[in-house]
Amino acid sequence: QQTGGKGDSVAVALTHQFGRLIVFSVPVFVYLWTMRAVMRFFMRSMLLMDDARQRQTMLETYFMLTGSGRADERDRPLILWALFRQTPGHGSDGVEPPDFTEVINAGMKRGSGGE
């Protein structure tokens, strides 16, 4: 197919083709970039919502255990660490939570009446 007259050069034809490519690709690029930003916001919101639910569950469990006399002040540092830890993706990663053996040792001290 001829798109122009006999005087058209190859450079003019390439310019028209690149123009068509840009007219098609720019809206596609903007759409994909917008979808990426929306999905990143959605995933971050879901992560923060899940973290908030975990903290609420821990607090309600601690209140229930405290109300029934099954938890005392020796358990308070563990629950405070869990409630006031850094949100996911924020803060320094150098602060380590109490590991499983510390939790077990705290429970054994509590069960034996020590401390």
Side-chain angles (χ1 to χ4, degrees), residues 9-22:
S9 67
V10 175
V12 172
L14 285 175
T15 304
H16 286 291
Q17 292 299 324
F18 280 122
R20 290 179 188 159
L21 180 66
I22 289 173

Side-chain angles (χ1 to χ4, degrees), residues 4-54:
K6 294 181 181 180
D8 286 347
S9 67
V10 175
V12 172
L14 285 175
T15 304
H16 286 291
Q17 292 299 324
F18 280 122
R20 290 179 188 159
L21 180 66
I22 289 173
V23 166
F24 174 73
S25 62
V26 167
V28 169
F29 175 75
V30 169
Y31 174 76
L32 292 176
W33 184 80
T34 304
M35 290 282 85
R36 179 177 159 249
V38 167
M39 287 306 295
R40 181 178 289 177
F41 177 75
F42 176 73
M43 294 302 291
R44 188 185 73 204
S45 297
M46 293 296 289
L47 180 68
L48 291 175
M49 184 176 64
D50 184 49
D51 184 59
R53 284 183 183 163
Q54 288 177 4

Side-chain angles (χ1 to χ4, degrees), residues 74 105-114:
R74 288 176 285 190
N105 289 338
M108 292 189 68
K109 286 180 187 175
R110 182 172 175 255
S112 66

